[in-house]
Amino acid sequence: MCWDCERIRFLLDVSLRNGSGSLFKWLVLCAGLVILGCATTMTQLPSATGCMIHYNVLRTATAAADEWVVIGHGFLRNHTRMERLAQVIAAAGINVVTVDFCNMRLWDGAHRRNAQDLIAVATALNARRVVYVGFSAGALAALLAGAADSRTLGVVALDLVDAEQLGVRAARDFRRPFIGLVGDPSPCNAQNNGLAVLAANQHARVMRIVGASHCDFEAPTDLLCQWLCERPASATAQRREQIIQTTTALIQSLRFRAPPN
């Protein structure tokens, strides 16, 4: 039963608290997924530009086969930075996929193409009901994907960073639920420029996570993000867990909406 994946969370948390290495964490996760019936698969799909979109699938036995959460990572990050969120979503009995953006470059965020790649992954999974989720630039891609995809149930944006007003323009006409979790302003979230995106949609919901750094919205994060984006001692495990649990609860609420026409 996939709700038993919650046991995996417990084992992972114990290993992390005890300072165990990442190898042990992965061994526990993989063994738990096999024993408890949650299938995880790393696969790939060609983008329209020719590069390969790699994506990691967590399919749960209790979820509808055509219902998916599709997650995009932040600028120049990868799907592993959204791993903890995906594990908790799967533990809640929801199919989830984390996507690597293959078109993103240091000089080009490729936000429109990232959105199309998220949609392509949803299509490859035969999704008919989709919640798009993303962090930072991935949140912008999630919004652009949600606005372009008629299967969208809603979008959950984690500390969204806009570029070239793409998010503002997409948000104006977006008619499905749009929820943004927002941390404290910093250079890494362009001083909260995602708030302008949320303000452009009259039905958007803003949830401020007081004290949260940009890195608190990915898990696990790393020293690079912490060095660039965090004040000394600003991050807390409790705050990161709050973001993950809140995001999962929001996704659960979106799943019970009527399917798109």
Side-chain angles (χ1 to χ4, degrees):
M1 298 292 290
C2 278
W3 53 265
D4 281 337
C5 291
E6 188 64 27
R7 297 177 191 172
I8 300 173
R9 289 182 56 209
F10 173 77
L11 293 172
L12 289 173
D13 288 342
V14 168
S15 70
L16 290 172
R17 284 197 299 269
N18 290 340
S20 303
S22 59
L23 176 60
F24 176 75
K25 181 181 75 170
W26 275 105
L27 288 173
V28 170
L29 174 60
C30 293
L33 291 172
V34 171
I35 293 168
L36 300 173
C38 299
T40 181
T41 308
M42 190 69 187
T43 188
Q44 61 185 22
L45 175 76
S47 172
T49 62
C51 66
M52 297 304 296
I53 311 163
H54 292 88
Y55 55 99
N56 193 52
V57 175
L58 264 173
R59 192 188 303 268
T60 64
T62 55
D66 61 357
E67 184 177 89
W68 286 89
V69 174
V70 180
I71 304 179
H73 60 77
F75 183 62
L76 298 182
R77 308 298 274 168
N78 60 56
H79 80 276
T80 64
R81 298 300 161 199
M82 309 308 293
E83 175 186 276
R84 167 68 174 155
L85 174 60
Q87 290 166 359
V88 174
I89 292 169
I94 307 169
N95 294 325
V96 58
V97 56
T98 52
V99 181
D100 276 344
F101 295 130
C102 64
N103 289 287
M104 187 177 280
R105 301 289 184 271
L106 179 62
W107 57 90
D108 181 10
H111 306 293
R112 294 186 186 90
R113 175 47 52 192
N114 295 339
Q116 291 303 312
D117 289 346
L118 292 178
I119 294 171
V121 169
T123 299
L125 293 169
N126 297 313
R128 296 184 65 187
R129 296 161 56 87
V130 186
V131 176
Y132 287 103
V133 180
F135 160 61
S136 191
L140 175 57
L143 172 59
L144 297 175
D149 190 348
S150 63
R151 301 167 296 182
T152 302
L153 296 176
V155 170
V156 181
L158 305 179
D159 219 24
L160 186 152
V161 176
D162 198 10
E164 301 172 2
Q165 297 282 296
L166 291 172
V168 169
R169 290 195 293 271
R172 285 173 183 156
D173 298 322
F174 188 50
R175 293 293 179 263
R176 299 212 170 269
F178 179 29
I179 308 163
L181 277 66
V182 180
D184 289 350
S186 73
C188 287
N189 65 13
Q191 302 300 332
N192 279 149
N193 80 346
L195 287 173
V197 178
L198 291 154
N201 184 296
Q202 61 179 332
H203 302 297
R205 179 180 175 192
V206 179
M207 301 182 69
R208 292 184 179 271
I209 310 297
V210 177
S213 76
H214 200 52
C215 304
D216 282 333
F217 292 86
E218 61 175 16
T221 191
D222 64 3
L223 292 175
L224 176 61
C225 185
Q226 292 170 328
W227 180 69
L228 289 172
C229 301
E230 286 187 348
R231 300 181 302 275
S234 66
T236 68
Q238 293 92 337
R239 194 155 49 231
R240 188 166 285 123
E241 189 66 15
Q242 175 193 0
I243 291 166
I244 289 170
Q245 295 296 336
T246 300
T247 302
T248 303
L250 291 169
I251 291 167
Q252 285 280 35
S253 70
L254 293 174
R255 293 175 65 207
F256 296 105
R257 293 181 56 84
N261 294 326

